[in-house]
Amino acid sequence: MKKLLSTAIQAAIEAGAEIMKIYANDFQVELKSDNSPLTMADQNANTVINSYLIKTNIPIISEENKQTDFQERKSWATCWMVDPLDGTKEFMKRNGEFTVNIALIEKNKPVIGVIYVPVTKTLYYAIVTEQKAFKTILKKHAVAVNELFASNDAMLIEKEDNETIKVVGSRSHKSAETEAFIQSLEQQGKQVEIVSKGSSLKFCLVAEGVATLYPRFAPTMEWDTAAGHAIC
């Protein structure tokens, strides 16, 4: 499992480096069939990730891949789940709140999770069976295996502040349902603090204890949630 995690980490970091090459320059934006934005950064990152994961001989489901027919996919016991650039709208706004997401799925549950934040070179990763998640801040877009799993990088559950519920929400996908949920907490006498963040960083804030809850009522996809699910 650690070997597969190492492969996913290397893929995510190199994809992040490719994304930053585009981020540093002017870039074109296309609209996909569902009107969601697509940039060369999404495509280049996807190519890099596929080049790593294909060597594992495990099927890959990526937002930017042509999907295998469901009749075949539904019988897969194991697969990779990939979002090569989660938070394309944040990428376009140049606020740095976008991530590379890679998860390994076994029997419909995430067992490995990797989230890489290219702008800050922050790496979140976990093996679910070991019940440990880690946060490593890199000096460059590269990491040696011996730099991983350091005890001081382990993410520990912080003591919860029962006075305030910190609700993390999307910068680009606010909804009436989320507002209603927040109001219901306040009506229960809870003090609510809103923490705005883009992409899968919302999962990371919950895992770190920086946020208490991440409500999501709008539609989402497994490549958006699988890596964060594993880390949480």
Side-chain angles (χ1 to χ4, degrees):
M1 197 64 75
K2 279 193 175 180
K3 186 176 179 182
L4 290 172
L5 177 59
S6 178
T7 298
I9 286 172
Q10 297 292 347
I13 292 171
E14 189 167 323
E18 285 298 313
I19 289 169
M20 291 307 294
K21 291 177 186 177
I22 308 297
Y23 192 64
N25 299 288
D26 292 332
F27 50 83
Q28 301 262 317
V29 178
E30 301 174 22
L31 288 179
K32 294 189 283 188
S33 58
D34 62 355
N35 285 327
S36 60
L38 174 70
T39 70
M40 188 181 292
D42 299 75
Q43 297 166 319
N44 289 5
N46 193 56
T47 299
V48 166
I49 293 168
N50 282 329
S51 72
Y52 275 89
L53 300 188
I54 201 167
K55 297 172 187 174
T56 67
N57 294 316
I58 296 172
I60 305 165
I61 296 176
S62 170
E63 181 176 11
E64 307 308 338
N65 284 357
K66 185 176 185 294
Q67 301 308 330
T68 305
D69 187 85
F70 178 68
Q71 292 306 311
E72 180 179 342
R73 274 189 288 127
K74 71 178 183 179
S75 64
W76 292 350
T78 307
C79 67
W80 291 106
M81 190 70 65
V82 177
D83 190 343
L85 202 172
D86 183 28
T88 303
K89 289 183 178 178
E90 315 308 327
F91 178 86
M92 291 161 55
K93 294 175 186 175
R94 297 185 184 273
N95 65 15
E97 295 180 5
F98 52 87
T99 60
V100 179
N101 301 346
I102 302 177
L104 182 67
I105 310 296
E106 283 188 354
K107 297 178 181 177
N108 300 318
K109 293 184 178 181
V111 293
I112 280 176
V114 177
I115 293 177
Y116 186 53
V117 191
V119 168
T120 60
K121 303 182 185 69
T122 304
L123 178 69
Y124 298 88
Y125 52 101
I127 297 176
V128 174
T129 54
E130 295 188 4
Q131 291 292 290
K132 289 181 180 178
F134 297 83
K135 175 185 177 181
T136 301
I137 299 175
L138 309 179
K139 294 179 181 176
K140 57 183 180 179
H141 295 296
V143 65
V145 174
N146 61 2
E147 294 179 59
L148 301 175
F149 303 105
S151 58
N152 60 334
D153 285 348
M155 293 167 63
L156 304 175
I157 298 172
E158 297 183 11
K159 186 176 179 182
E160 191 170 333
D161 175 9
N162 293 320
E163 297 295 319
T164 303
I165 294 180
K166 295 180 180 179
V167 177
V168 64
S170 172
R171 286 204 190 279
S172 302
H173 300 280
K174 293 177 181 174
S175 68
E177 292 89 346
T178 303
E179 294 295 334
F181 175 76
I182 291 168
Q183 288 176 12
S184 72
L185 293 175
E186 292 173 335
Q187 287 166 3
Q188 295 171 36
K190 306 288 187 182
Q191 184 175 337
V192 178
E193 180 182 328
I194 309 300
V195 182
S196 293
K197 194 65 71 172
S199 73
S200 289
L201 281 166
K202 294 184 285 293
F203 289 101
C204 299
L205 294 185
V206 173
E208 290 184 86
V210 176
T212 318
L213 296 171
Y214 167 27
R216 176 76 182 202
F217 299 98
T220 189
M221 304 294 281
E222 289 176 32
W223 47 62
D224 295 317
T225 62
H229 184 170
I231 291 163
C232 285

